[in-house]
């Protein structure tokens, strides 16, 4: 009796397909985000009418040189859509940048200093996290006014504890490493240790968190305008347009649907970009570990 030798080939993971998936998601998110950012930045220069000009009867349907009709005052919807994205984009990006920067500083100091100083910073971050962000922003905006810079500062302050807790957690792990202890024994200044030894180790998680915060910031900024606490008329803003024209949704939907669609697409594009960056960095980490 003969015995057949059976060789079972090991299962090889399809690394190529995962890499293609990561690259595709990253590419789609980057292209979508860039297109909408360009639309927001260049749109005000492409408007066929001044955004505040009355060009027809209120809630006029599309036609006669008005591709999207008119809004509740008789203003050209297309012109206001083209002009209304700039505020959403710059405020969302500024909010994200400021919030991430502030949270990074707080997290680095809290994680490295520890002790009394670290405890105070952690307590302050916990206090901020205890307030719902929208309630926190609305409270101060209703008292101090509707300045865009104030809104950016308040929303950024609301994001800083989220970033700070992440950075603090990574910093606490990094300060226990031998290269940090060696730098301290050599008398390297603390500021240099923070910037050159600890900060590079938190870049990966920080980039992923930044993408998520940018996505959330778009919703918060647009939501504040919708509630009437953001950009004020007669300025054009996508969130404000939704609030202004929702009464005519049944017979002239474009004045509401188009800005809602653009906000949703911008949010989806930035979220896809953030997910793509996260998966890309995860793939690079797995490859290095291998």
């Amino acid at each position: 009796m003969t015995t057949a030798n059976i060789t079972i080939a090991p299962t090889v993971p399809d690394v190529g397909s995962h890499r293609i998936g990561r690259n595709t998601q990253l590419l789609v998110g980057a292209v979508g985000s860039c297109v909408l950012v360009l639309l927001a930045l260049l749109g005000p220069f492409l408007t066929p009418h001044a955004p505040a000009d009355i060009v027809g009867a209120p809630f006029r349907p599309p036609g006669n040189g008005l591709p999207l009709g008119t809004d509740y005052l008789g203003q050209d919807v297309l012109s206001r859509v083209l002009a209304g994205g700039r505020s959403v984009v710059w405020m969302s990006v500024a909010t994200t940048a400021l919030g991430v920067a502030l949270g990074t500083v707080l997290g680095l100091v809290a994680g490295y200093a520890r002790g009394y100083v670290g405890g105070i910073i952690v307590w302050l971050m916990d206090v901020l996290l205890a307030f719902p962000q929208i309630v926190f922003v609305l409270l101060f905006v209703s008292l101090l006014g509707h300045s865009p810079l104030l809104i950016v500062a308040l929303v950024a302050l609301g994001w800083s504890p989220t970033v700070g807790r992440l950075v603090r957690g990574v910093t606490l792990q990094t300060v226990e490493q031998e290269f940090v202890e060696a730098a301290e024994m050599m008398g390297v200044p603390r500021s240099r240790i923070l910037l050159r030894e600890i900060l590079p180790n938190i870049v990966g998680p920080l980039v992923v968190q930044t993408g998520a915060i940018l996505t959330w910031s778009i919703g918060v900024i647009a939501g504040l305008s919708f509630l009437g606490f953001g950009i004020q008329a007669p300025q054009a803003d996508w969130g404000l347009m939704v609030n202004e024209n929702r009464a005519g949704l049944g017979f002239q939907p474009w004045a509401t649907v188009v800005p809602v669609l653009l906000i949703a697409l911008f949010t989806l594009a930035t979220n896809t970009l953030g997910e793509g960056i996260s998966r890309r960095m995860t793939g690079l980490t797995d490859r290095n570990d291998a």
Side-chain angles (χ1 to χ4, degrees), residues 52-255:
D53 284 354
I54 305 297
V55 297
F59 291 128
R60 180 178 173 181
N64 297 327
L66 300 172
L68 298 178
T70 61
D71 65 1
Y72 77 115
L73 289 178
Q75 302 165 122
D76 180 26
V77 172
L78 177 60
S79 297
R80 292 187 67 78
V81 165
L82 291 174
R86 178 177 291 183
S87 57
V88 175
V89 169
W90 84 259
M91 291 178 70
S92 300
V93 172
T95 294
T96 302
L98 184 59
V100 170
L102 179 59
T104 300
V105 172
L106 293 175
L108 283 173
V109 174
Y112 185 65
R114 287 168 288 187
Y116 184 71
V117 175
I120 292 177
I121 295 176
V122 172
W123 179 79
L124 289 174
M125 291 192 295
D126 289 340
V127 170
L128 284 175
L129 284 174
F131 288 93
Q133 189 177 41
I134 289 292
V135 176
F136 174 77
V137 175
L138 291 180
L139 173 64
F140 286 95
V141 168
S142 61
L143 293 175
L144 302 177
H146 302 79
S147 169
L149 293 178
L150 175 63
I151 294 173
V152 167
L154 290 173
V155 177
L157 185 62
W159 290 136
S160 61
T162 303
V163 179
R165 291 173 70 90
L166 171 67
V167 173
R168 176 178 176 270
V170 179
T171 301
L172 287 173
Q173 297 175 1
T174 306
V175 296
E176 303 296 335
Q177 301 297 318
E178 294 180 355
F179 62 88
V180 175
E181 295 178 356
E184 292 175 339
M185 293 178 62
M186 294 173 60
V188 178
R190 290 187 173 184
S191 59
R192 181 174 295 182
I193 294 176
L194 286 172
L195 295 177
R196 295 189 177 183
E197 305 295 340
I198 298 178
L199 184 59
N201 289 278
I202 67 174
V203 169
L206 196 59
V207 169
V208 175
Q209 185 70 23
T210 300
I213 288 180
L214 176 58
T215 301
W216 300 334
S217 295
I218 297 169
V220 172
I221 295 298
L224 288 171
S225 294
F226 173 80
L227 294 174
F229 290 90
I231 299 297
Q232 300 294 302
Q235 298 182 63
D237 179 87
W238 289 343
L240 179 62
M241 288 182 66
V242 177
N243 183 34
E244 290 174 337
N245 300 295
R246 56 198 174 108
L249 184 61
F251 45 89
Q252 168 38 345
W254 301 113

